[in-house]
């Protein structure tokens, strides 16, 4: 197992505080498992770097790490981007296309800004987490993917659950292990 300092140097993690070191230590401990991880913290604290560190020190490191910014994908196409689609599934779907989950098969998928995911897609994410199964848009054929999921947010997901904008069952699936990154000003 890599040391905290070696991991920070290898992945360019900036700062030195007890809180940051605990977060890195937790990332190192969880990396050899396939447990879902939720990385939280303000914008710019290195949630993506932490995901790279977890993937890069895991048994899946020789397979792809697929990074998806859920907040940057328009609501109308996020399902197609994540799970793929069949030819003719919607206007402009001239060819079948695999989604990010298929591209990450055997590796890790990092869903940044998971709190921006629409509720209809949250149900489908829950199914993938439960049994690795999903449907492409426009298909009734079950697809499978062996993927480790790392999610990140700068929002308070628990408050979103209370407000009804985030599914409680998905929250508990994602929050198996939470790594809270401290703000840069506290490092």
């Amino acid at each position: 197992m890599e040391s905290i300092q070696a991991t920070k140097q290898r992945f360019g993690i900036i700062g030195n505080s007890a809180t940051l070191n605990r977060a890195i230590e937790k990332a190192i401990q969880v990396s050899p498992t396939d447990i879902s991880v939720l990385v939280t913290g303000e914008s710019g604290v290195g949630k993506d770097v932490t995901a790279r560190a977890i993937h890069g020190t895991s048994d899946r490191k020789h397979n792809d790490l697929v990074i998806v910014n859920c907040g940057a994908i328009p609501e109308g196409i996020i399902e197609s981007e994540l799970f793929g689609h069949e030819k003719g599934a919607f206007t402009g779907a001239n060819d079948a296309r695999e989604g990010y989950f298929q591209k990450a098969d055997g590796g890790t998928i990092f869903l940044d800004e998971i709190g921006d995911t629409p509720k209809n897609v949250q149900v489908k994410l829950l199914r993938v987490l439960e049994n690795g199964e999903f449907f492409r848009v426009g298909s009734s054929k079950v697809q499978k993917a062996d993927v480790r999921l790392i999610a990140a947010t700068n929002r308070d997901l628990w408050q979103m659950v209370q407000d009804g904008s985030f599914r409680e069952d998905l929250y508990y699936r994602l929050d198996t292990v939470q790594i809270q990154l401290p703000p840069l000003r506290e490092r």
Side-chain angles (χ1 to χ4, degrees), residues 21-171:
N21 289 345
R22 275 195 302 279
I24 301 306
E25 182 178 30
K26 197 184 247 188
I28 293 167
Q29 288 172 344
V30 77
S31 71
T33 71
D34 277 340
I35 294 172
S36 297
V37 178
L38 179 62
V39 184
T40 60
E42 295 178 356
S43 291
V45 296
K47 295 183 289 289
D48 59 331
V49 176
T50 304
R52 288 178 199 279
I54 292 169
H55 174 75
T57 57
S58 76
D59 294 340
R60 294 177 179 266
K61 67 183 169 216
H62 299 295
N63 294 313
D64 288 342
L65 168 64
V66 176
I67 298 172
V68 182
N69 183 338
C70 297
I73 302 172
E75 188 172 329
I77 64 169
I78 190 166
E79 184 179 350
S80 170
E81 292 293 309
L82 291 174
F83 306 113
H85 63 258
E86 296 298 325
K87 180 178 179 177
F90 50 85
T91 304
N94 300 325
D95 295 304
R97 187 177 152 281
E98 68 179 22
Y100 293 129
F101 274 91
Q102 283 179 298
K103 289 179 176 152
D105 192 24
T108 305
I109 190 163
F110 173 56
L111 299 180
D112 198 7
E113 299 311 333
I114 188 81
D116 293 340
T117 310
K119 283 194 91 172
N120 68 314
V121 175
Q122 291 176 27
V123 173
K124 294 171 182 177
L125 286 173
L126 185 62
R127 180 179 173 127
V128 173
L129 283 171
E130 287 174 344
N131 57 25
E133 295 179 349
F134 60 92
F135 294 95
R136 285 182 175 179
V137 175
S139 175
S140 58
K141 182 180 175 226
V142 174
Q143 302 286 323
K144 283 234 178 227
D146 172 23
V147 175
R148 190 223 192 125
L149 182 91
I150 302 172
T153 186
N154 62 4
R155 297 166 74 181
D156 184 342
L157 285 188
W158 181 244
Q159 185 58 52
M160 291 177 69
V161 167
Q162 302 305 306
D163 298 343
S165 59
F166 199 83
R167 291 183 59 94
E168 186 173 8
D169 46 5
L170 179 58
Y171 172 80

